[in-house]
């Protein structure tokens, strides 16, 4: 061992001890006849002192140390005259007697500080230096703790972690698979799993009863802001359970994580149907840190000669508490916000509730004060509130626009505190989604999700209205987990594949092993999967999942540090039959 | 929840309780007017009773149940008259009042019993049924426990589990990579990692100090008996340590696993140099559950006119205690054993030490009793022992042959007890291996392994003799882990690449990021990786790693259950630019 102590553990009670430390030079500075070096390791920073008078040679050596040099030092713990209350080791310093440079360092291309001067690109290229920054490393320490506490909780409940294979079969349903050419079976390919879904269901057929796995999954998608081609799931499945059992078990896991990691006690999670989530928040992952629910205004505002509303299929409003003080300029900015192409609203109508109770709207010429007072009542608006209204000829789109506006108002009014956590179960998702473009139904969750028993009759007559035993866990407007009760009947599974447009041959080719397994006594089962990256980001208050991944890829799916993907040898291609 | 209790937990103290159980029909049988059903789940088996007289209808239903039907039953816990001492629930049975068939089952293609009638192939095809067998599931429960205890131990020591990427860059050194074509960067490929080696070293450069990961790795090799294309490593790395620290830390981990999982207290592990392992056991992974060390016999047996020995470059013997009773037929079988092409010895010489102390050998005509007595003395053989001698014109090959013979004798003499565990560190591996075919040096461990400081001078003059700070953990003759102290100096790393025949360009292209990282203050570091599959197999007493993997692949790298690898859509190929 190159050290007797770390740079994070020395305190006043270690006074006069002789210690050996090792670490990196955070900085060095001269003051009077003294040289001070901050020595850093994962555990903290300790101040080293060199005295020009007592040991000029050693002090001279210390003066020549560059940033990020790797040192081993021996010295005596001494009390600081000028204590630093900001760090746990701030009461002491080390009077150095021996100094050994273990490795030198070139000048790093950016500063290794919480607030660095390095841009995104250079930090990604030198990720190994970026990871030296305490803020970045803390995210990965948090990630370790969350994964470990997840395992501890699930192990205590009798869940078994079982590794499922990474080299599997391509099932080009849903997102695109990454594929792996087989050398031993030329012309054939493995695929990397988008999730261990079918394997965990097979484990239930095998009687494993309670399974989990923290596991890498892969999707070859065009990467949006917060997607990675490889990501990590906390994947879980249980047998002989109903939806309620899953909700209880994993609400428990989530509470355990908040308690053990952040010392936050959470109350019982509220539950909301998908229908209500869409109706009141225009989103299947509402941020319920703040109210500002949608109020549908069709009855109130239609038929008064304002053609935009008169022709609308949906009119809805939100009430922003205390925002009547918004200036014209601020409201214009909100109008621009909802008209941005990403959101796509045609416009924004507002109504200010003045301090005297009167309502002043942007469409006053169409609405009498009497109607506006009815609006105020319907919106439960109070003096000083601002009512914001969006309409459209497509309910779903208009609600989505209003949802974006609601979130923006939440931001502007400071209602989305990163240190407040509001968890929510969204339940009763639709089983199927109709896709206009391809004119067919898609599984909203996945093809193995069970319809609600009472809705099975509708599968033939009106598939679009069938609800599923499917649920999402939403925290602060982020979908951190989702799952469902699965079909365990081979006949019903076959029917589902039919509805989803699989020919019998295709269903057999892709999922024959699963349907076959169901013939040998499949138990009722269901599960859930959390996105670990998102969950960690949420706990860490990060804007991007990238910051909690040690070696992330950029938006082109590229690791710029190692420069992958890359060309491979002609010889390799030849062996794979790909030249 | 479909049950109030599992099938493994009811005891006499639960007498008269009303319970609901769910599980699979292990078997049902009629006796007198009663029907008995064994209901099985992961936790155990509980006997259900149906009485023809009391409830004929229910009993009739029970009679029609097939093997592996999935049931939910309600009933009362009752004391058995005919207790079964072999199972923990053997004191009780359930008088069933309600029976619900949750799912039917076709007749399984083999019996779901510890001793099944199913052959390998059919059990692999129906792996989900094979996994129902208690013996198979127990292996995976053990695997879960071992992984969990590993994490617990390392977490307590401050190790952080960090996920390294799966989509990385191909480095066609060592084994073949699996590659993944990139759709977004056509013509370029990711590779799947053979190990996270370079990433864990980068994490040390980043100051992570103590890293581990239980992680899937991949090798596209022609599969021998006990290889899988994807396998799992317990991968570890530490900074500011010397070899001794690694050995202590991971000896501790191994002891913890034996203690926590098998309640075995292990003594301090002996250590043996690679040179001694080869000299005394002809293997870098000696099974030291038994002695039977090699004795070199060149001085003793050369020059007596037996041309085979006279011309040999190596003559070595082992002494098999008490095996003088071996018949001529048994010794002939041993001769056939060493002459098999896989072993390749030319022959086998034996010398029996008779009960009267005289020695009788198969080459008596060349050796006087005096010489044979010297042989006996040299071999420390006693009356009743059998001396077995192998020679050859290539020391290394002859020693390997003698090693195989030693292991076989260990088997025959019952010296390789699966319930006895002998751990060993093999240290001081050579840094380099000369390959005759390609006429170049290869890294024995990997190109990042540090030479011993005292041997660095030999790198230029006599590279083949340079010893590395590399070590293997061997248990019962199985290499379960191996590692090394790494090079942390970019200059030395560059020199290593040169010795290994990398051009400067190739080294830069493949490992430039690592050599670059070393310029910014790399700490001294080193690590180890365990093969989890092998470690679990060893703990479980299995002959193949396949039996502790949930969904293994066969020798052709094929998952016969899901039928992967397989053809993929033309559309997919086209998108990847591979059509």
């Amino acid at each position: 061992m190159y050290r007797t102590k770390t740079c994070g553990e020395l305190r006043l009670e270690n006074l006069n001890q002789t210690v050996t430390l090792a670490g990196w030079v955070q900085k060095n500075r001269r003051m009077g006849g003294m040289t001070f070096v901050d020595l850093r390791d994962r555990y903290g920073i300790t101040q080293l002192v060199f005295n020009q008078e007592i040991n000029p040679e050693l002090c001279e050596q210390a003066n020549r140390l560059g940033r990020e040099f790797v040192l081993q030092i021996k010295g005596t713990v001494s009390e600081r005259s000028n204590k630093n209350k900001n760090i746990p080791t701030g009461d002491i310093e080390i009077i150095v007697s021996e100094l050994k440079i273990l490795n030198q360092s070139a000048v790093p291309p950016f500063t290794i500080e919480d607030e660095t001067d390095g841009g995104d690109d250079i930090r990604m290229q030198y990720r190994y230096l970026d990871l030296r920054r305490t803020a970045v490393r803390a995210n990965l320490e948090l990630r370790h703790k969350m994964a470990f506490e997840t395992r501890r909780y699930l192990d205590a409940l009798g869940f078994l972690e079982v590794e499922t294979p990474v080299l599997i079969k391509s099932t080009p349903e849903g997102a695109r698979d990454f594929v792996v050419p087989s050398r031993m079976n030329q012309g054939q390919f493995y695929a990397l799993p988008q999730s261990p879904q079918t394997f965990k269901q097979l484990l239930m057929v095998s009687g494993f009863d309670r399974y989990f796995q923290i596991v890498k999954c892969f999707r070859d998608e065009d990467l949006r802001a917060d997607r990675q081609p490889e990501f990590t799931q906390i994947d879980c499945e249980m047998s002989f359970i109903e939806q309620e059992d899953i909700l209880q078990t994993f609400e428990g896991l989530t509470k355990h994580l908040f308690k053990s990691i952040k010392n936050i006690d959470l109350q019982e999670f509220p539950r909301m149907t998908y229908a209500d989530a869409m109706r009141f928040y225009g989103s299947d992952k509402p941020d319920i840190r703040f109210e500002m629910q949608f109020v549908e205004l069709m009855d109130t505002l239609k038929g008064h000669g304002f053609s935009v509303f008169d022709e609308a299929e949906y009119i809805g409003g939100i009430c922003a508490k205390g925002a009547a003080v918004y200036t014209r300029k601020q409201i214009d900015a909100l109008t621009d916000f909802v008209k941005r192409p990403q959101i796509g609203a045609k416009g924004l109508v507002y109504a200010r509730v003045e301090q005297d109770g009167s309502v002043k709207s942007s469409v006053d010429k169409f609405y009498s004060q009497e109607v506006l007072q009815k609006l105020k009542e319907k919106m439960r608006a109070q003096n000083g509130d601002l009512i914001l209204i969006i309409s459209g000829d497509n309910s779903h789109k208009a609600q989505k626009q209003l949802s974006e506006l609601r979130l923006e108002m939440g931001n502007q009014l400071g209602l989305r505190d990163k240190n407040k956590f509001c968890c929510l179960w969204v339940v009763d998702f639709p089983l199927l989604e109709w896709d206009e473009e391809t004119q067919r139904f898609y599984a909203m969750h996945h093809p193995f999700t069970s319809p609600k028993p009472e809705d099975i009759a509708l599968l033939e007559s009106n598939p679009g209205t069938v609800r599923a035993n499917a649920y999402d866990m939403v925290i602060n407007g982020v979908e951190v987990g989702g799952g469902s009760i699965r079909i365990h009947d081979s006949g019903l599974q076959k029917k589902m594949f039919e509805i989803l447009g699989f020919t019998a041959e295709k269903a057999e080719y892709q999922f024959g092993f699963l349907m076959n397994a169901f013939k040998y006594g499949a138990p009722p089962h269901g599960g859930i999967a959390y996105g670990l990256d998102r969950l960690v980001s949420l706990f860490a208050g990060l804007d991007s999942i990238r910051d909690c991944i040690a070696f992330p890829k950029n938006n082109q799916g590229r690791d710029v540090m190692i420069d992958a993907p890359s060309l491979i040898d002609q010889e390799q291609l030849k062996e794979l039959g790909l030249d």
Side-chain angles (χ1 to χ4, degrees), chain A:
Chain A
M1 199 66 93
Y2 281 75
R3 64 191 171 204
T4 59
K5 297 280 177 185
T6 70
C7 295
E9 62 183 303
L10 292 171
R11 302 287 184 275
L12 275 180
E13 63 252 36
N14 303 102
L15 230 53
N16 300 320
Q17 288 178 7
T18 300
V19 296
T20 305
L21 300 183
W24 286 263
V25 173
Q26 180 73 27
K27 57 180 175 197
N28 63 351
R29 58 199 183 286
R30 295 192 205 190
M31 273 173 76
M34 315 280 273
T35 295
F36 298 94
V37 173
D38 281 353
L39 192 68
R40 185 196 71 231
D41 67 12
R42 183 182 123 200
Y43 312 96
I45 283 182
T46 297
Q47 179 165 290
L48 313 178
V49 193
F50 302 81
N51 191 316
Q52 182 70 40
E53 280 186 23
I54 293 171
N55 195 334
E57 200 178 330
L58 200 65
C59 195
E60 210 34 64
Q61 219 188 327
N63 287 337
R64 285 195 305 269
L65 294 172
R67 278 200 286 138
E68 303 305 318
F69 273 41
V70 187
L71 307 186
Q72 183 185 34
I73 64 99
K74 197 168 170 180
T76 309
V77 183
S78 168
E79 185 167 2
R80 273 209 219 183
S81 52
N82 195 0
K83 297 200 170 55
N84 179 350
K85 291 295 169 202
N86 296 322
I87 57 173
T89 60
D91 288 346
I92 60 95
E93 60 193 5
I94 311 291
I95 312 291
V96 177
S97 55
E98 290 173 33
L99 164 65
K100 187 174 175 188
I101 295 173
L102 297 175
N103 219 336
Q104 301 200 316
S105 173
V107 176
F110 50 86
T111 55
I112 313 294
E113 305 277 358
D114 285 1
E115 299 295 323
T116 179
D117 58 358
D120 264 5
D121 290 349
I122 192 122
R123 286 190 294 112
M124 280 299 139
Q125 191 188 337
Y126 293 87
R127 181 65 170 173
Y128 44 86
L129 295 180
D130 199 29
L131 287 170
R132 279 190 192 165
R133 295 166 56 228
T134 306
V136 182
R137 202 187 49 240
N139 296 335
L140 290 160
E141 289 178 353
L142 171 68
R143 187 181 179 112
H144 161 75
K145 272 190 216 144
M146 290 181 71
F148 187 69
E149 286 299 332
T150 297
R151 288 189 163 101
R152 181 138 72 181
Y153 177 87
L154 293 174
D155 174 78
L157 290 182
F159 282 80
L160 297 175
E161 184 158 19
V162 180
E163 294 174 61
T164 54
V166 176
L167 297 171
I168 65 165
K169 183 172 177 163
S170 186
T171 54
E173 184 69 359
R176 245 183 242 100
D177 285 327
F178 282 105
V179 298
V180 180
S182 166
R183 181 179 53 86
M184 287 204 273
N185 307 273
Q186 289 214 352
Q188 298 186 18
F189 292 78
Y190 301 100
L192 304 182
Q194 297 184 30
S195 94
Q197 184 62 34
T198 51
F199 289 98
K200 70 175 173 174
Q201 293 193 239
L202 290 175
L203 287 172
M204 294 302 106
V205 173
S206 299
F208 273 64
D209 209 75
R210 296 180 163 208
Y211 145 94
F212 83 102
Q213 189 183 187
I214 300 185
V215 59
K216 275 281 175 76
C217 299
F218 306 87
R219 268 180 214 162
D220 184 12
E221 289 178 307
D222 298 316
L223 301 174
R224 278 179 276 151
D226 219 19
R227 289 277 176 93
Q228 287 279 317
E230 51 181 296
F231 54 97
T232 304
Q233 291 199 340
I234 304 170
D235 191 48
C236 309
E237 199 81 0
M238 301 172 82
S239 289
F240 298 118
I241 46 77
E242 284 144 351
Q243 175 169 309
E244 186 60 29
D245 303 304
I246 303 264
L247 301 192
Q248 291 295 342
T249 305
F250 293 96
E251 189 165 320
L253 169 60
T254 309
K255 283 177 176 170
H256 172 75
L257 290 176
F258 273 101
K259 181 66 187 170
S260 59
I261 308 266
K262 297 183 87 76
N263 199 25
I264 292 175
D265 288 292
L266 291 178
Q267 299 301 303
E268 197 179 333
F269 296 4
R271 297 179 189 185
M272 192 185 293
T273 63
Y274 172 85
D276 278 353
M278 295 309 290
R279 185 170 156 217
F280 293 121
Y281 299 94
S283 166
D284 59 0
K285 41 177 193 281
D287 183 349
I288 59 165
R289 278 175 295 185
F290 63 109
E291 283 275 331
M292 216 188 280
Q293 289 190 352
F294 294 6
V295 178
E296 199 248 89
L297 298 168
M298 299 284 277
D299 288 351
T300 314
L301 297 180
K302 257 188 187 280
H304 294 269
F306 180 44
S307 66
V308 173
F309 284 176
D310 288 350
E311 288 155 21
E313 202 191 275
Y314 177 83
I315 312 168
I318 53 175
C319 176
K321 291 279 158 209
V325 295
Y326 264 48
T327 60
R328 183 62 205 235
K329 200 171 156 192
Q330 283 175 298
I331 293 176
D332 285 349
L334 286 179
T335 308
D336 291 344
F337 173 82
V338 297
K339 286 167 90 173
R340 290 187 312 163
Q342 304 96 302
I343 299 185
K346 294 247 170 61
L348 175 66
V349 168
Y350 70 87
R352 251 195 212 111
V353 184
E354 308 288 3
Q355 287 304 341
D356 63 3
S358 65
V359 178
K360 173 114 199 57
S361 93
S362 54
V363 286
D364 271 357
K365 63 177 164 179
F366 299 106
Y367 296 96
S368 66
Q369 189 59 223
E370 193 188 350
V371 175
L372 291 174
Q373 286 297 324
K374 268 193 203 152
L375 168 69
K376 171 175 128 186
E377 196 180 319
K378 185 116 197 198
M379 296 296 305
R380 296 179 188 225
Q382 291 174 324
N383 299 354
D385 291 351
L386 177 68
I387 299 166
L388 296 167
I389 302 169
I390 275 184
S391 68
D393 50 14
N394 176 313
S395 296
H396 183 70
K397 283 185 185 165
Q399 283 171 341
K400 260 197 98 178
Q401 291 154 5
L402 190 55
S403 171
E404 295 290 344
L405 179 63
R406 176 180 173 272
L407 293 175
E408 174 61 21
M409 287 309 295
N411 286 337
Q412 294 195 6
L413 299 176
L415 303 173
R416 304 182 74 193
D417 178 0
K418 276 189 178 177
N419 294 311
K420 182 180 170 186
F421 294 94
C422 289
C423 305
L424 169 74
W425 287 109
V426 177
V427 296
D428 296 355
F429 273 80
L431 183 67
L432 302 163
E433 258 180 325
W434 179 256
D435 182 61
E436 281 298 332
E437 200 177 321
T438 52
Q439 289 285 305
R440 51 164 275 204
F441 280 111
Y442 283 85
M444 192 142 182
H445 190 55
H446 54 52
F448 314 108
T449 298
S450 176
K452 284 193 175 287
E454 60 269 34
D455 288 3
I456 286 184
L458 293 167
L459 270 178
E460 299 279 3
S461 56
N462 195 353
T465 63
V466 174
R467 291 165 309 157
N469 274 327
Y471 32 81
D472 277 356
M473 183 182 288
V474 175
I475 306 180
N476 291 2
V478 176
E479 179 210 323
V480 297
S484 65
I485 300 301
R486 326 299 183 188
I487 296 168
H488 65 280
D489 176 88
S490 54
L492 183 57
Q493 187 63 67
K494 209 170 146 191
K495 169 164 241 76
M496 265 302 283
F497 283 130
E498 274 168 35
I499 292 170
L500 295 173
F502 282 66
T503 61
E505 293 70 33
K506 193 177 162 195
E508 174 59 30
Y509 181 70
Q510 284 190 16
F511 298 111
F513 60 96
L514 188 69
M515 289 194 287
N516 207 28
F518 283 175
K519 290 178 188 153
Y520 294 95
H525 62 287
I528 194 169
Y530 288 77
L532 179 62
D533 309 286
R534 280 194 203 170
L535 198 60
V536 177
S537 303
L538 193 83
F539 270 61
L542 300 173
D543 294 322
S544 164
I545 61 168
R546 206 185 280 182
D547 295 327
C548 67
I549 296 172
F551 300 101
K553 294 187 173 56
N554 72 10
N555 281 348
Q556 285 76 50
R558 180 166 282 285
D559 182 329
V560 295
M561 179 187 72
I562 61 171
D563 192 28
S566 63
L567 299 174
I568 60 175
D569 284 358
Q570 199 57 34
E571 194 54 38
Q572 281 176 284
L573 289 174
K574 206 167 159 183
E575 280 197 315
L576 295 168
L578 294 179
D579 57 329

